[in-house]
Amino acid sequence: MGKNKLRRFQENRCLSNVIQPTRQEVLSGFQLKGRWRDKFFGNTRPIILELGCGKGEYVVGMGKVFPEKNFIGLDIKGARLWFGAKEAVGESLGNVAFLRTHIELLDLLFDENEVDEIWITFPDPQIKHKRMKHRLTCPYFLEKYRKILRPRGVIHLKTDSEFLYGYTLGLLQGLGHEIITAHHDIYGAREYEPSTPYLREIKTYYELLFFAGGKPITYVKFRLG
């Protein structure tokens, strides 16, 4: 392991906006489950969760735009989320936190109706059929999202993968979920005005790479039926 990674791991332990529970701590009863607002953020504001946040560009960007909301970026890669955590501290963003853990533990980390909104930004599309259960929009994960989302809470998928975009749309339609907005190229269509005003203004590291390479960026906003 490189020295930079080790340094970031060490710094994460000292950052007040980084939570790193062990798997055993999560399985035995995570202390912040149901208590994120009052025990961590100290307010009653909405909670927006980003899954697979990477370096945290999106969750930090949203935290700056919407100081009246709480944002949590979740990722297992501690050396990556360190970048976002450091920026949030440097910008004094008390409404931005990072949770280092596995996404499949989601319903053990948050209580019913605790999350207002979920963002899934540029996940691995898991194209091989045998990896289908690892797609973040497969039925297994959708049910986990349902457990923690408030009634009428929304989910956003932003991806460069036309495969994942098509898979998700077909699945949502087949299961009777509500597709609020869907577009196959949010930057290429001039007539398209996204219902989410910061959809094109905030870009992740990978999004910048895909955009520079001419790949269309797709977007789906939906609600579980």
Side-chain angles (χ1 to χ4, degrees):
M1 185 181 296
K3 289 183 179 180
N4 284 338
K5 278 191 174 183
L6 287 174
R7 177 177 57 82
R8 292 168 192 164
F9 288 148
Q10 291 171 352
E11 285 192 36
N12 281 343
R13 298 190 186 101
C14 302
L15 293 172
S16 60
N17 61 350
V18 177
I19 303 95
Q20 304 184 90
T22 66
R23 190 176 187 88
Q24 186 55 44
E25 287 173 338
V26 175
L27 295 176
S28 61
F30 183 51
Q31 61 177 351
L32 288 176
K33 180 180 179 180
R35 302 290 307 277
W36 279 97
R37 287 182 177 86
D38 65 310
K39 195 170 183 179
F40 185 83
F41 290 108
N43 58 54
T44 59
R45 298 168 184 168
I47 291 177
I48 289 78
L49 176 64
E50 183 189 6
L51 303 179
C53 67
K55 294 183 177 181
E57 301 97 328
Y58 222 86
V59 71
V60 169
M62 291 192 293
K64 293 177 182 178
V65 175
F66 299 103
E68 73 280 7
K69 297 180 180 181
N70 300 317
F71 295 89
I72 303 172
L74 188 155
D75 206 299
I76 191 59
K77 303 289 187 180
R80 291 182 184 176
L81 62 79
W82 171 87
F83 289 94
K86 289 285 286 186
E87 182 178 357
V89 168
E91 297 278 349
S92 299
L93 298 176
N95 64 329
V96 176
F98 290 86
L99 180 57
R100 184 179 179 231
T101 189
H102 292 280
I103 294 175
E104 59 264 28
L105 299 174
L106 204 58
D107 52 336
L108 299 177
L109 298 160
F110 297 91
D111 210 348
E112 293 181 9
N113 306 327
E114 191 168 17
V115 175
D116 294 79
E117 200 170 315
I118 293 175
W119 278 85
I120 307 169
T121 51
F122 300 93
D124 187 331
Q126 307 289 357
I127 293 176
K128 293 183 179 180
H129 182 72
K130 65 180 181 180
R131 300 286 298 175
M132 181 175 64
K133 65 179 182 180
H134 297 284
R135 296 172 193 160
L136 292 187
T137 55
C138 77
Y140 169 76
F141 281 110
L142 292 183
E143 285 307 308
K144 286 189 175 289
Y145 307 154
R146 185 196 300 277
K147 290 180 181 179
I148 66 172
L149 273 173
R150 66 171 175 80
R152 306 291 293 170
V154 297
I155 303 172
H156 308 261
L157 170 67
K158 197 175 181 185
T159 176
D160 68 301
S161 171
E162 294 185 17
F163 166 80
L164 185 60
Y165 173 75
Y167 165 82
T168 301
L169 283 182
L171 182 69
L172 295 175
Q173 291 170 344
L175 295 176
H177 297 308
E178 178 186 356
I179 299 173
I180 302 169
T181 302
H183 206 277
H184 69 281
D185 186 356
I186 61 173
Y187 295 105
R190 293 182 179 179
E191 76 280 1
Y192 177 60
E193 292 297 333
S195 59
T196 306
Y198 49 90
L199 183 63
R200 290 183 282 198
E201 283 70 27
I202 303 173
K203 296 180 178 66
T204 70
Y205 168 78
Y206 288 108
E207 183 172 357
L208 288 170
L209 292 179
F210 300 142
F211 183 71
K215 294 193 71 175
I217 305 301
T218 68
Y219 171 69
V220 184
K221 179 180 180 181
F222 62 98
R223 184 179 288 119
L224 299 176

